[in-house]
Amino acid sequence: GLRYQDVFSDAEEICIIEKEMDEFENDPEDEFEMNWTPQQGSSGDIVSRRSVPEETYDRSYFDEDSLFGESSSSSDESTDEDDDDEIEDAGELPVNISQHQIAVTKVHFQQPAAVDEVDTLLSELDMSLQTTSKTLPTKTGTPIHPSLPKKDPKNDKSRKSWAVTDYIPLTSTNDFHTMLPNPALTFPFELDDFQKQAVLRLERSECVFLAAHTSAGKTVSAEYAIALAMKHCTRAIYTSPIKALSNQKYRDFKSKFGDDVGLITGDMQIGADGSCLIMTTEILRSMLYRGADLIRDIEWVIFDEVHYINDSERGVVWEEVIIMLPEYVNLIFLSATTPNTIEFSEWIGRTKRKPVHVIRTNYRPVPLSHNLWAGGKLHKILEGKGAFDTKGYTAAAHALLPASAREAAEMGKKGEKKKTTASGKTIPASKPSSGSRHSSWQQQGSKQDWIALVRFLEREGLMPTVTFSFSKRKCEELADSLRSLDLNTQQEKNAVQSFAIQTVNRLSPQDKILPQVIKTVEMVKRGIAVHHGGLLPILKEMVEILFSKNLIKILFATETFAMVGFVQPDVTVLSFLLSIHAMYSLFQGVNMPARCVVFNTIRKHDGVQFRELQPGEYTQMAGRAGRRGLDKVGTVILCCFGDQPPPQLVLRNMLTGSSTKLSSQFRLTYTMILNLLRVEDMSVESMIKRSFSEFATQRALTTNEYPKLLTKGTKTLIKLDEEFKGTADSRVGAEDVEGYYFASKNALQSNKELLSYILSAGGTGGGALVAGRVLLLNSGRKKGYVRACALVLRPPATSSKASVACVDDASCVCMVLLPQGFTKGGQSDDIKLGSLNYVGEAHGRYFAIHSISIDEILLVTTAKQKIDAKLFYNEEALKTNTRSADMPSMNAFAGARSMGSRQVDDPFAGMMARGRKGGHAPKSSKSTSVSQERQQVDEAVDALITAEKSELNAGLGTCDLKDCAKSMHSGNSAMEFGSTVDRFDRDMALARQFKSHYHPDLEHHYMAVDRKETLRAKVKTLSHLLSNESLQLFPDFLQRKAMLQSLGYIDENDTVCLKGRCACEVNTCEGLIVAEMVFEGMLNELEPAEIVASLSALLFQEKVDEELSKELPERLVSSCERMQAIALDLGQRQKDFGLSVDPLEYTANSLKLGLVHVVYEWACGVPFASICELTGVQEGSIVRTITRLDELCREVRNCARVVGNPTLYRKMEASSEAIKRDIVFASSLYVS
């Protein structure tokens, strides 16, 4: 395999090492490595698993790009370059960085570190840290996914991607059937190319990400993986985002693979020993946390509808499962088309340490035709992969105009004169009327509008039709408006009635007469139905089966219907459905879509606000149109019932825009933290580091460039520390230079804060930086002078509207008195006085015109000098003289010599003759001007020399910055500014107490400290970035862990206590509230009916009136109040520990009391029809809450077992039995 040197060019080594560096001890077992291994089954035989062929990919090629690459110990003969290559995790370097020392392995060096080499390394670190800071997401903002670096096709050393897009070549001589002579599963139709590619990859035991449109045939790859698992005597897990889809897939796969298929949900287990197990992603996550035995038998895990990872509530579950699955498990991802499939596959591959083969196709078996319904006609605006048709849009807009407006428009086209009044004024055309509450294009049509549309669909043969409406109530209203229509023939009515009778016979006599049951049965007979979350589950399944058999002609559904895959019903149901008419033999395919899809509106409420559909959402729903093998084109209709169509820009974006990206919804939960603290194979930090939200950041940080830079920086720092100690004898009079460095650094920081504030008002900062002001500067490493005196020539150019943050990078132009050790280099003659970077000389001292940032200003003094600023610095000269190559050096000590060896070659250099005897009188105005310029230069330099002597003697006076800012602020800002001024005064006074401040050779000693301490700070920063502390969610983890410790869920050693083990049992709701209820003994005092009524508040999600009925028992009311008190206390504790949690909002989101009375009556034996009268909540929502309540009862029963409470254990069993009856727990049509 290729080594790192084959992929990246090594940077040149900065340090020359005399002896080999001691070996860094690496943990032989990577702390991130998951030690999942197949174990022996009950029979004693090891379950066979198909291993990945070695020739599939060279794993060592990718190891250095892994989050957890293994490192081997270096041999005694290893070189320093090898050491660099072998250090994979910089966080493991034995570096303990402080301000004054760094404890590392001792090394010896041949020669002192060269100044230019250290500066090169510092520049390299600067660039790396700046690049990284741009990539890192903000701590307070939404997680950002930086785009991955693009591969350079011309550079052979570009990093190989974990996402592989290469296809297996298929030729006439080496076709699909030749390459796969003995397939694990055959299909009765010829596979499409993308399906063949997926099957071939699965045969090689490779991970696959398959992105294709709805109904394109993605399930083929899932079925083939299941067949492979059965062939290899292993298991395949099929995960789905919702329970209803799990039930459907169970029937689908069972009809194909027989009884070797199982289903595991929250309330049932069927065939748990099967080779193929269907379950929701939450169930698989629970198994991984528990370490279930069946995990070791898994060969394939299929993630269907993986774009569901974008769900804000449940998307985190997908990431948890992908991260925790053992390395030997092969993964299959089925998704709609997304723009960042490669990035997501990169994350999967890097996390699981194996390539992911991306197979994408925009192929749609049945192309779509998108139309606007306006004026009783269809107006095509897009077909297939064509462009947006503006003519169709214009025609639709014209058709929606009122009659008078259309007439005026037609007259305008024909060139007829406009109607005028007797006075000659033009009569304006009538304007379209606007809706009362919504914009005109958002109106959703009347009863007559919908009857006309349905009649059109029936006449044009566009049924069956799915009509999407994003409100349960609106679905019901639209279906009710079609009571006068009968869309089924008599034969179809008989078939529907027979099936409806069989379905209803599963219910009790009382449930058969429920209003919703009667209404739905009557509706489906006429070929009309609704499908939404408020419908009873058994009725939803009845509607789905009838629709799949073309017995429902128009279906009004919410968005979740787009995820439903229609499967064949039970054999007993199917027998009479297929026998009623010969035409139904055409509809034997599974997942059969509709002929036409209609959108009642393109606006939806996403839980926060109303908005237009995103392109991905629209594509998912519109993809239901078009039946493969039956329709040449699928028809999509957007209803326009107002006076104008939706804005063209909105339609263009929705129809042709990019699909929604896969984005991370990863967040920490208390259950996740407690579960991870209990397992050995994964830490919380590892989970965060591996999450999709951290992917781009961690990839940028853990590339080998960063650990190598850290290693080089560490070595160089050791060298600089040793050199500094070795030169202690030469620092006579400057022994305290390190202390002086930190004191002056603090003063620089304080002064920068003050100047940033006063400059935010614009101008010269209240006169602080007016031209002629004398400053003290510190810019040791950058420009080579310390404690240098300077005159302000041009104040910082800041706006009066600039914020403090905006002026942090402000700079002014100054005339700087260079140190005595400076000698002039080879400055070009092109740089004249008045230009930036000019270096001149007067009175035996050099000066320079430099741009000075405010963080280089040590002190603003009270001294001023009257000068002609334009003489020293001219803006026009700056614009014309921009050749930085001619600049001598920004380091004033370029070419400088130490004080001991300094010699003056010409003591009279630069001096002018004075007096008329020795000189010549000026002969022209030009010479007079030069003389005046020289005089001003002499005066300015003389003033700076005088200021320098004053600072060394008694100290220059400090400008009163409070006086400069007196008109800027008041209140808290004035107090903060005043405290900063006081802090600066203390810092400056402390700096002046050090002997080094007055040392004649201060610059050399200061720069030695500056160089090593700057390097130390950058090494510390880089080390922090490569550690867990830089993780975006790490502060959140520490806060949550501290909260858990305060409540006794974990101890000081992060060991999960009994209370924490109890909370780990709860996955359906907020586990901390349940654990607190159990440990406070609340549930011990309640009867089973009261227990389930109380627990329902943790599961109900809709916003309804939550006032408790006076008919409820006092104990139940008291229990609900205590639950609210617990939730409020937990919310306040989280806020106290620094989490952004509002206690009242946390309580409101965790507890909703809307169904407490309903559930209590249900547990007491009241019929379902009677409890529905107690609330306005729809029947389906009631059933869903009670069904989940049974799962919560089992979890609380497990809590009682953990804590050893047999009384509560028996009560929870009784509670579960109290709610399990009648229509709420009616068996699924797909399962039984």
Side-chain angles (χ1 to χ4, degrees), residues 445-495:
S446 63
K447 177 180 178 180
Q448 291 73 22
D449 293 332
W450 277 99
I451 291 177
L453 175 59
V454 174
R455 288 299 187 194
F456 174 84
L457 295 173
E458 184 181 27
R459 184 170 61 253
E460 297 296 324
L462 294 178
M463 291 182 174
T465 298
V466 178
T467 300
F468 285 107
S469 184
F470 306 107
S471 164
K472 301 174 190 175
R473 179 182 56 81
K474 192 63 180 179
C475 287
E476 297 284 350
E477 290 179 0
L478 294 177
D480 290 340
S481 67
L482 303 181
R483 289 180 180 176
S484 60
L485 299 182
D486 191 343
L487 306 177
N488 275 343
T489 64
Q490 187 60 46
Q491 192 174 17
E492 291 171 337
K493 284 184 180 179
N494 295 337

Side-chain angles (χ1 to χ4, degrees), residues 740-741 744 748 775-791 793 811-823 836-839 845-859 887-894 896 944 948 996-997 999-1008 1010-1011:
Y740 175 74
Y741 169 81
S744 60
L748 283 168
L775 307 176
L776 277 186
L777 307 180
N778 257 22
S779 184
R781 192 176 65 86
K782 293 180 180 179
K783 298 184 176 70
Y785 39 75
V786 182
R787 193 209 342 101
C789 293
L791 286 174
L793 300 179
S811 62
C812 57
V813 177
C814 296
M815 175 185 181
V816 186
L817 182 66
L818 299 179
Q820 294 184 14
F822 176 79
T823 56
L836 201 62
N837 301 318
Y838 171 79
V839 177
R845 292 288 295 274
Y846 285 99
F847 67 91
I849 311 300
H850 281 171
S851 176
I852 303 297
S853 61
I854 60 174
D855 61 354
E856 296 172 321
I857 301 176
L858 178 64
L859 175 67
M887 189 174 65
S889 175
M890 290 306 292
N891 189 331
F893 272 91
L944 291 175
E948 182 181 64
S996 297
H997 183 70
H999 198 280
D1001 203 14
L1002 171 61
E1003 291 81 10
H1004 290 278
H1005 302 312
Y1006 185 94
M1007 283 192 293
D1010 190 11
R1011 187 170 286 106

Side-chain angles (χ1 to χ4, degrees), residues 1043 1129-1143:
M1043 216 266 299
D1129 177 66
L1130 289 173
Q1132 186 60 48
R1133 283 177 177 268
Q1134 293 178 79
K1135 183 178 180 181
D1136 294 341
F1137 278 97
L1139 294 167
S1140 57
V1141 175
D1142 180 8

Side-chain angles (χ1 to χ4, degrees), residues 174-328:
N174 192 29
D175 62 0
F176 172 75
H177 300 289
T178 303
M179 297 181 67
L180 197 63
N182 298 310
L185 179 67
T186 58
F187 297 90
F189 51 87
E190 183 67 19
L191 298 181
D192 293 328
D193 289 342
F194 76 94
Q195 294 170 329
K196 292 178 180 178
Q197 291 291 332
V199 168
L200 291 175
R201 292 296 182 186
L202 298 182
E203 277 286 348
R204 300 183 180 189
S205 297
E206 294 173 343
C207 297
V208 171
F209 190 112
L210 182 56
H213 287 299
T214 303
S215 305
K218 298 188 291 288
T219 309
V220 165
S221 59
E223 293 176 348
Y224 198 86
I226 294 170
L228 283 174
M230 293 180 175
K231 180 180 179 181
H232 301 154
C233 300
T234 57
R235 290 179 186 264
I237 304 294
Y238 186 98
T239 68
S240 65
I242 56 178
K243 178 183 173 183
L245 191 57
S246 296
N247 293 340
Q248 294 171 2
K249 287 298 180 183
Y250 168 72
R251 177 59 63 183
D252 184 15
F253 291 153
K254 187 174 181 181
S255 65
K256 194 173 193 70
F257 298 106
D259 294 333
D260 202 13
V261 177
L263 174 67
I264 302 178
T265 64
D267 56 351
M268 71 172 69
Q269 284 192 12
I270 302 174
D273 295 330
S275 296
C276 172
L277 294 179
I278 297 134
M279 62 186 70
T280 59
T281 318
E282 281 83 356
I283 298 294
L284 180 56
R285 178 185 63 173
S286 299
M287 290 182 174
L288 289 169
Y289 277 134
R290 294 199 315 268
D293 292 339
L294 67 84
I295 298 296
R296 64 173 178 258
D297 302 334
I298 298 176
E299 181 182 7
W300 298 95
V301 172
I302 303 149
F303 294 91
D304 197 4
E305 307 288 352
V306 76
H307 49 269
Y308 207 86
I309 198 173
N310 288 342
D311 185 78
S312 58
E313 291 296 324
R314 299 173 57 215
V316 60
V317 181
W318 270 255
E319 292 191 53
E320 286 183 80
V321 171
I322 292 171
I323 292 170
M324 289 192 299
L325 277 171
E327 185 182 336
Y328 57 77

